[in-house]
Amino acid sequence: MISNIEKVRHISKRMATFCNLLMVSIPLVLIWSWIDFEGARALGFYERVAYPIDAPATLSLAMGFLVSAFLTVFIIGAIYHLREFFKFGIKGNMFSEQGGDAFHKSAKYLVIYAFLSIPAETLIGVILTINNPVGERLLKLSFNTYDLSLIFLSLVIFSVSWVLKESALIAQYNAQIV
Amino acid sequence: MSIILNLDVMLAKRKIKSKELAEVVGISVQNISLLKSGKVKGIRFNTLDAICRHLDCQPGDILEYSPD
């Protein structure tokens, strides 16, 4: 029978591998989505972003990519620190001070992403429609249930991570009481 | 810290080894070492009780206050 610590190690190892996979695949998908912008839109990417009358110019696509890449940095940051958290799980000390700190950093990046994704979409829309005739350029700020859920979820994860971090510190202090 | 632990002195006086005390008190030898070196944040009353009972001493023989 597998002990609990072995289960934690096993799941942590799988999650760390999954995080590695995401850290490679997300930038690749991002690059592809801007190279084949029409194809990506057909698959549901950038659905809420304002679309130009004519096909977007190469410069607009390049600038849109830069904005998306900037936003993606925060998701990659969140996944990177989540992987670090699971690495502590592999070692069997997930709920240590360093483990709690890694999870807290991951949650912090997620919150930043959740809040920045709204203005970033607006900015991409402006960049893509900048070549439209005057009066057709769009400044669209949309905020729906998805955004609200993401912000709420990220804030819940952030709170849990803070509790975990503080609990790890308390546990570390208590371990020094004999 | 201004609290000094004199457990090592008491163990030497009573000629008792750390391993023996650890077994009687029910804590690890590592924790006894930490107590001897004073590298602890605190000591539980039941640990202190067991140590005092086995070493036949008072808490004041183990704990000493020294102003900084």
Side-chain angles (χ1 to χ4, degrees), chain A residues 33-91:
Chain A
S33 70
W34 284 98
I35 290 172
D36 185 13
F37 190 72
E38 303 294 336
R41 266 185 76 92
L43 284 173
F45 286 75
Y46 314 111
E47 245 180 358
R48 294 189 307 168
V49 168
Y51 194 71
I53 293 169
D54 299 317
T58 314
L59 185 65
S60 298
L61 287 174
M63 285 178 72
F65 167 74
L66 287 178
V67 174
S68 285
F70 173 73
L71 194 63
T72 308
V73 164
F74 293 98
I75 273 290
I76 297 292
I79 297 167
Y80 171 80
H81 288 292
L82 194 64
R83 187 191 65 175
E84 294 303 301
F85 173 67
F86 285 118
K87 273 186 179 175
F88 284 107
I90 295 169
K91 290 175 196 163

Side-chain angles (χ1 to χ4, degrees), chain A residues 173-178, chain B residues 40-44 47:
Chain A
Y173 184 85
N174 285 343
Q176 288 179 293
I177 296 172
V178 178
Chain B
V40 289
K41 295 275 185 196
I43 180 166
R44 290 190 184 90
T47 308

Side-chain angles (χ1 to χ4, degrees), chain A residues 15-167:
Chain A
M15 286 306 292
T17 311
F18 181 62
C19 287
N20 279 335
L21 192 72
L22 284 177
M23 281 171 69
V24 174
S25 60
I26 288 174
L28 290 177
V29 169
L30 177 81
I31 293 166
W32 163 79
S33 70
W34 284 98
I35 290 172
D36 185 13
F37 190 72
E38 303 294 336
R41 266 185 76 92
L43 284 173
F45 286 75
Y46 314 111
E47 245 180 358
R48 294 189 307 168
V49 168
Y51 194 71
I53 293 169
D54 299 317
T58 314
L59 185 65
S60 298
L61 287 174
M63 285 178 72
F65 167 74
L66 287 178
V67 174
S68 285
F70 173 73
L71 194 63
T72 308
V73 164
F74 293 98
I75 273 290
I76 297 292
I79 297 167
Y80 171 80
H81 288 292
L82 194 64
R83 187 191 65 175
E84 294 303 301
F85 173 67
F86 285 118
K87 273 186 179 175
F88 284 107
I90 295 169
K91 290 175 196 163
N93 61 344
M94 193 180 243
F95 301 108
S96 60
E97 188 191 349
Q98 293 90 345
D101 200 40
F103 189 52
H104 190 60
K105 278 181 186 168
S106 175
K108 222 184 276 181
Y109 276 101
L110 193 64
V111 169
I112 296 170
Y113 171 80
F115 278 99
L116 280 184
S117 63
I118 300 163
E121 275 186 4
T122 306
L123 189 60
I124 292 170
V126 170
I127 289 167
L128 291 178
T129 59
I130 202 83
N131 291 328
N132 282 1
V134 178
E136 297 288 335
R137 290 166 189 163
L138 288 172
L139 178 69
K140 191 173 130 187
L141 186 69
S142 59
F143 185 79
N144 61 18
T145 338
Y146 168 77
D147 298 303
L148 198 66
S149 307
L150 186 65
I151 288 170
F152 176 72
L153 196 68
S154 64
L155 287 174
V156 167
I157 293 171
F158 184 76
S159 309
V160 170
S161 73
W162 182 79
V163 171
L164 178 75
K165 192 184 166 189
E166 292 301 314
S167 305

